Amino acid sequence: LRDRQIAYRITGIASRRLGWIADPKGLSLPRGAGALDREAFPASRASNVRDWLRAAQADVLFEATSLNLDSGQPAIDHVRAALESAAHAITANKGTVVHAYQELSALAASQNRCFLFESTVMDGAPIFSLFDSLPALHLRGFRGILNSTTNVILSGMEQGLSFEQSLKHAQDIGIAETDPTHDVEGWDATVKVAALVIVLMDLAIPLSGIERKGISGLSAEQVRRARAEGTPYKLVCRAQRREDGVTAAVRPEKVPPGDPLASVSGTSSAIHFETDILPGLAITEINPSVETTAYGMLADFIRAVSAH
Ligand SMILES: NC(=O)c1ccc[n+]([C@@H]2O[C@H](COP(=O)([O-])OP(=O)(O)OC[C@H]3O[C@@H](n4cnc5c(N)ncnc54)[C@H](OP(=O)(O)O)[C@@H]3O)[C@@H](O)[C@H]2O)c1
């Protein structure tokens, strides 16, 4: 950031547990990982996002609340409030894109601010920003593996674990949530497909418009046999443009030998775009971590402040 002559200070932090902490002179943060201690900060006077943004005199908001599949809230309200107060809004929350992309992008444009969300799909890999470097390209469709939890579970089952053991392993290494339904039943992947279709194909699609099947119906025996036959099961995400819109699906598929998706294992993910000029353009992200997600938000931050 110094090399790019970007100076920053953190003037606000908020969560349900911490409340709305703000100090325009800058907050000093403890170094390293771990939960922040409420007592380490000045008492917060703000009681809602708008007062908090004002108290913090925010130029940029980093929004990283948990995903609410049905409404995209409270992330949408947070991003809207930031843009209305003339701050850039950067989010890792897919709900903002799936439920309010049109509104929030129009608001950002009218305020001459950025609404950026690179981390929402494939963490820090350039997926949305890739298309900024490909002007006038027409995206016909895509196919990929976009959910780590299911990929880790399938890899574990191939190596001899049962579904339950493999899920437990994914939870132990911090990949899967305590309630893994969201990933296992394909919801996380479906939300990512929707985000890609909405932004990159410029087509409105509700989550209900995407065929969805998770991996809970696969037995360990089926998964191992498919791998032994050279056609491993993957939770494949796909979308294809049609004359009257788009067809999109998330479902376990046997991937043929030689298909690049067959070698994407564990926490890795991959996407293969089909475009008019570049018939096949693929990105593989190998073993991402939370730092990778944070990097996506940092890259958005640099893009936003460099452009304004
Ligand atoms: N983890 C990843 O690698 C990754 C990758 C790509 C995208 N994402 C997305 O990034 C977001 C954050 O992920 P995460 O894994 O850090 O989620 P998480 O573990 O659920 O943490 C969410 C954070 O948001 C706060 N929060 C939740 N609801 C809130 C509310 N209503 N108001 C204020 N604060 C709230 C929580 O703190 P309190 O409990 O104190 O409120 C917590 O600090 C999610 O939308 C996720 O889908 C994550």
Side-chain angles (χ1 to χ4, degrees):
L1 293 176
R2 212 177 294 122
D3 287 349
R4 290 171 177 272
Q5 277 130 36
I6 298 171
Y8 74 94
R9 53 181 199 279
I10 295 171
T11 60
I13 311 172
S15 84
R16 285 168 304 198
R17 190 174 47 82
L18 292 170
W20 304 95
I21 295 161
D23 183 349
K25 292 195 283 305
L27 297 160
S28 72
L29 295 184
R31 294 211 164 256
L36 295 172
D37 185 1
R38 174 77 194 82
E39 274 61 54
F41 298 106
S44 69
R45 291 208 195 93
S47 59
N48 61 62
V49 64
R50 283 169 200 276
D51 291 349
W52 171 69
L53 288 164
R54 206 171 303 116
Q57 297 175 13
D59 297 318
V60 180
L61 169 74
F62 294 88
E63 213 290 341
T65 56
S66 325
L67 172 67
N68 179 323
L69 210 61
D70 299 324
S71 68
Q73 294 292 14
I76 293 173
D77 284 346
H78 295 165
V79 168
R80 189 187 288 126
L83 294 170
E84 282 175 354
S85 70
H88 298 296
I90 291 162
T91 184
N93 190 312
K94 297 172 273 292
T96 58
V97 180
V98 170
H99 292 285
Y101 173 67
Q102 297 293 352
E103 179 214 324
L104 297 174
S105 325
L107 177 59
S110 73
Q111 294 284 76
N112 196 23
R113 298 289 91 181
C114 291
F115 163 49
L116 297 172
F117 38 79
E118 187 60 87
S119 292
T120 56
V121 179
M122 283 176 73
D123 316 297
I127 301 301
F128 297 105
S129 53
L130 172 70
F131 284 81
D132 294 340
S133 316
L134 299 169
L137 201 83
H138 185 71
L139 179 60
R140 292 185 173 143
F142 61 84
R143 186 170 162 269
I145 297 174
L146 300 175
N147 178 263
S148 316
T149 301
T150 44
N151 213 39
V152 167
I153 294 174
L154 291 172
S155 297
M157 287 162 83
E158 286 172 355
Q159 286 155 18
L161 301 180
S162 66
F163 177 87
E164 289 72 21
Q165 287 167 329
S166 196
L167 169 59
K168 167 97 179 34
H169 167 69
Q171 286 167 331
D172 289 346
I173 61 170
I175 299 294
E177 302 288 329
T178 316
D179 175 5
T181 322
H182 179 69
D183 288 322
V184 168
E185 297 306 337
W187 281 112
D188 174 76
T190 301
V191 178
K192 288 173 177 164
V193 169
L196 292 169
V197 169
I198 290 167
V199 179
L200 298 180
M201 298 174 91
D202 198 19
L203 292 165
I205 189 168
L207 295 182
S208 58
I210 299 172
E211 181 195 325
R212 178 187 54 82
K213 188 171 179 196
I215 62 162
S216 58
L218 291 177
S219 71
E221 173 54 28
Q222 273 176 299
V223 172
R224 276 194 284 281
R225 196 174 339 113
R227 170 56 80 181
E229 289 165 357
T231 55
Y233 270 111
K234 296 287 172 193
L235 186 66
V236 175
C237 301
R238 54 168 76 243
Q240 195 67 42
R241 208 182 273 277
R242 306 280 174 217
E243 264 178 27
D244 56 348
V246 62
T247 53
V250 170
R251 58 181 173 239
E253 291 181 18
K254 283 186 183 178
V255 175
D259 187 316
L261 295 190
S263 60
V264 177
S265 59
T267 57
S268 301
S269 50
I271 191 157
H272 186 284
F273 292 109
E274 184 198 334
T275 77
D276 51 354
I277 307 294
L278 296 152
L281 176 63
I283 293 192
T284 304
E285 183 185 36
I286 299 170
N287 294 333
S289 67
V290 281
E291 279 80 11
T292 325
T293 305
Y295 171 73
M297 300 187 83
L298 178 74
D300 278 345
F301 167 66
I302 294 173
R303 264 191 286 280
V305 298
S306 304
H308 292 82

